[in-house]
Amino acid sequence: MRAGEKAYETLRGEILDGVLRPGTVLAEVEQANRLGVSRTPLREALARLTADRLVTSLSGRGLVVSEISGENIVGLYELRQALEGQAAMLAARRRDDVPFRRLRDRLAKAPALLEQGDEGLHEYFSIVDDIDLAIDDAVDNEYLVAALQNVRLHSSRIRRLASHDHERLRQAASEHLLIIEAIVAGDASLASHATHVHLHKSLTNALSSAESEATSSAGIA
């Protein structure tokens, strides 16, 4: 793997996982030394992260990890509602139901997984990721899939805020199950509606979690 690609993947992973928190300054010399690369590939990585909108330039501070504000969250969910509702509807119309039946069986185990600590949580999110991939395959629309993949990049940062809210995760698992059942049944209208309900509840929780984290951070400061 090229140095620039490696630096990009490492920094992106750290941003998405919350290791590099919003507002963290990404000084070139410091990051190049930490990652063991020269400044040229680091600049390449930072340019890609800026294009992804995971990194932004602030006057007087240089490049920093982008903030997760309430306004950003609302804007992202407005786009998610349009894209994911359409994707669920198309998946219900065009699907091969076998992959979704398998996902339905795996989702049935979600409540037990969420009681198994980090390992179970990782497995649960793996199921959620596989749902996204199955829907991508079913819609058979490269333009829609490309747009969805960009949205999911930012959604994963927001999802981290709710990773310890087990009650919300149990609710979300039930919501995902309804979406899957609608797709298996070929009910496009229900698949779209179930997706909108899930996103509405997810948005409410994300805003609450972001507010709590901001309050906590202010208290620490």
Side-chain angles (χ1 to χ4, degrees), residues 114-127:
L114 294 173
E115 298 300 325
Q116 296 175 15
D118 289 343
E119 184 176 345
L121 192 62
H122 178 78
E123 176 60 25
Y124 168 71
F125 282 131
S126 177
I127 296 172

Side-chain angles (χ1 to χ4, degrees), residues 73-86 132 148 151-152 155-156 158-159 176 195-196 198-199 202-203:
I73 291 172
V74 170
L76 179 65
Y77 270 82
E78 287 175 348
L79 182 57
R80 287 188 67 184
Q81 287 170 357
L83 296 177
E84 294 185 27
Q86 179 71 10
D132 288 338
L148 284 167
V151 166
R152 289 171 190 150
S155 296
S156 64
I158 297 172
R159 185 170 76 181
H176 283 300
T195 299
H196 285 144
H198 167 64
L199 290 175
S202 179
L203 170 60

Side-chain angles (χ1 to χ4, degrees), residues 165-214:
D165 186 343
H166 288 271
E167 178 56 33
R168 173 56 202 151
L169 290 174
R170 282 190 288 270
Q171 293 173 3
S174 296
E175 293 157 16
H176 283 300
L177 185 58
L178 180 57
I179 295 169
I180 294 300
E181 288 177 340
I183 292 174
V184 168
D187 191 330
S189 178
L190 179 58
S192 179
H193 177 69
T195 299
H196 285 144
V197 170
H198 167 64
L199 290 175
H200 171 73
K201 293 183 177 182
S202 179
L203 170 60
T204 300
N205 183 72
L207 289 172
S208 176
S209 298
E211 182 179 354
S212 296
E213 180 158 300

Side-chain angles (χ1 to χ4, degrees), residues 26-44:
L26 300 175
E28 279 190 13
V29 173
E30 177 186 348
Q31 295 302 321
N33 290 336
R34 184 175 73 88
L35 298 175
V37 299
S38 67
R39 294 176 69 176
T40 297
L42 179 70
R43 287 170 181 164
E44 176 187 324

